[in-house]
Amino acid sequence: MKKVLIVEDDVNLGSTLAGILEIKKLNVHYSNGYDDVLFVFNQFNPDIILMDVLLPGDQNGFKIAEKIRKNKNQVPIIFITSLEGAVAMKKAFSFTNADYINKPFRVQEVLLRMDKLLSKQYRFNLTENFYRIGDTLFFPEEQLLRRANNKIHLNKYQTMVLVVLCNNQDNYLSRNDIIQDVWGVDNCKIKENSLNNVLSALRKYFADDSKVEISSVMKLGVKLYVEDIPD
């Protein structure tokens, strides 16, 4: 389930948007901007942010985004604002992996822009709730891999590990981080064999797709690599 952080000082707009996204089966955290947004961001660790530009007090959506990017975090950000003119738009598009939308807006427009950024960042389809991994579609809620007319049913831990890898695609994750995230244990050694079995099964499922590789390197960890397909 993708996590969305909404930062919006208009409570009616923010809560309405949050409710709609929750119906779409997204994990939503709503902030009205009066709290420490950076603290909320670090605690919640969202997959995408809907960020109002004009916030209460001395907080500002662009300044918050600058701090996030300074920490080398490329989480997708959609700036939402009532500001008009080229200056605000130019500032919004100065950020990598970002988009910009003016109030008032249609919810469908927000969903389409979210889908575009999520697809680019994670190869995730918001509308149908699947990841595209090479030639395979991965449906986490159904614990299912689908390629052409073939279907492979995953178990709980195979699904959870693959979600973690998809959300960190092309980056190495330490084995301890994966184990703690999936099995929730502090003593990671007791689940090393379980992780090895899961990775072995996942590699087998993707063995005939040359665009997909699950690599494991000592001291670096595990990485899901998916070759980009030209548009």
Side-chain angles (χ1 to χ4, degrees):
M1 182 181 291
K2 285 294 177 209
K3 297 192 290 185
V4 184
L5 173 59
I6 300 174
V7 184
E8 169 59 61
D9 65 346
D10 183 332
V11 177
N12 288 331
L13 175 59
S15 56
T16 298
L17 192 54
I20 292 171
L21 295 181
E22 286 172 346
I23 291 174
K24 295 287 184 179
K25 297 183 179 180
L26 296 169
N27 183 1
V28 182
H29 183 97
Y30 167 58
S31 166
N32 60 13
Y34 284 91
D35 48 13
D36 186 337
V37 176
L38 275 177
F39 177 80
V40 172
F41 167 78
N42 288 323
Q43 292 294 309
F44 185 56
N45 191 27
D47 297 299
I48 190 168
I49 306 173
L50 305 183
M51 177 82 76
D52 191 10
V53 173
L54 299 178
L55 296 171
D58 60 354
Q59 298 205 80
N60 175 289
F62 291 144
K63 290 181 180 178
I64 294 170
E66 285 173 354
K67 292 178 181 178
I68 291 172
R69 291 295 187 256
K70 280 182 180 179
N71 289 328
K72 298 183 179 180
N73 191 310
Q74 292 299 316
V75 61
I77 302 174
I78 298 178
F79 294 102
I80 299 175
T81 182
S82 56
L83 293 174
E84 296 183 359
V87 175
M89 184 178 295
K90 185 176 180 180
K91 180 65 176 177
F93 286 114
S94 70
F95 293 92
T96 56
N97 212 19
D99 205 343
Y100 176 92
I101 189 169
N102 276 110
K103 300 176 185 176
F105 53 80
R106 295 181 178 180
V107 172
Q108 185 62 29
E109 183 180 0
V110 176
L111 293 174
L112 289 172
R113 290 176 184 268
M114 288 176 63
D115 199 19
K116 182 178 180 180
L117 284 176
L118 287 169
S119 177
K120 178 182 177 182
Q121 182 80 355
Y122 310 105
R123 295 183 176 89
F124 180 77
N125 185 299
L126 175 66
T127 307
E128 299 183 46
N129 196 26
F130 67 78
Y131 294 89
R132 182 176 295 278
I133 308 172
D135 296 327
T136 302
L137 302 184
F138 167 41
F139 296 84
E141 290 192 353
E142 300 174 41
Q143 298 182 192
L144 179 70
L145 296 176
R146 190 173 75 201
R147 183 187 307 145
N149 295 322
N150 298 320
K151 294 182 179 180
I152 298 173
H153 292 274
L154 307 179
N155 65 35
K156 173 184 174 181
Y157 294 111
Q158 290 169 351
T159 300
M160 294 174 71
V161 169
L162 190 52
V163 167
V164 172
L165 294 177
C166 286
N167 287 340
N168 295 275
Q169 204 166 121
D170 300 331
N171 295 298
Y172 280 103
L173 282 175
S174 76
R175 299 174 71 88
N176 284 356
D177 285 344
I178 297 173
I179 290 171
Q180 288 173 350
D181 198 352
V182 172
W183 282 274
V185 297
D186 293 325
N187 183 5
C188 297
K189 290 184 178 180
I190 65 174
K191 291 299 180 181
E192 275 283 350
N193 287 337
S194 297
L195 177 58
N196 289 336
N197 290 337
V198 167
L199 293 175
S200 178
L202 293 177
R203 289 189 182 104
K204 180 180 178 182
Y205 298 150
F206 291 101
D208 56 350
D209 190 340
S210 61
K211 294 182 289 298
V212 181
E213 179 184 5
I214 300 175
S215 60
S216 184
V217 177
M218 190 175 296
K219 295 185 178 179
L220 288 178
V222 182
K223 178 175 73 172
L224 170 65
Y225 169 78
V226 182
E227 180 181 336
D228 287 324
I229 302 173
D231 295 331

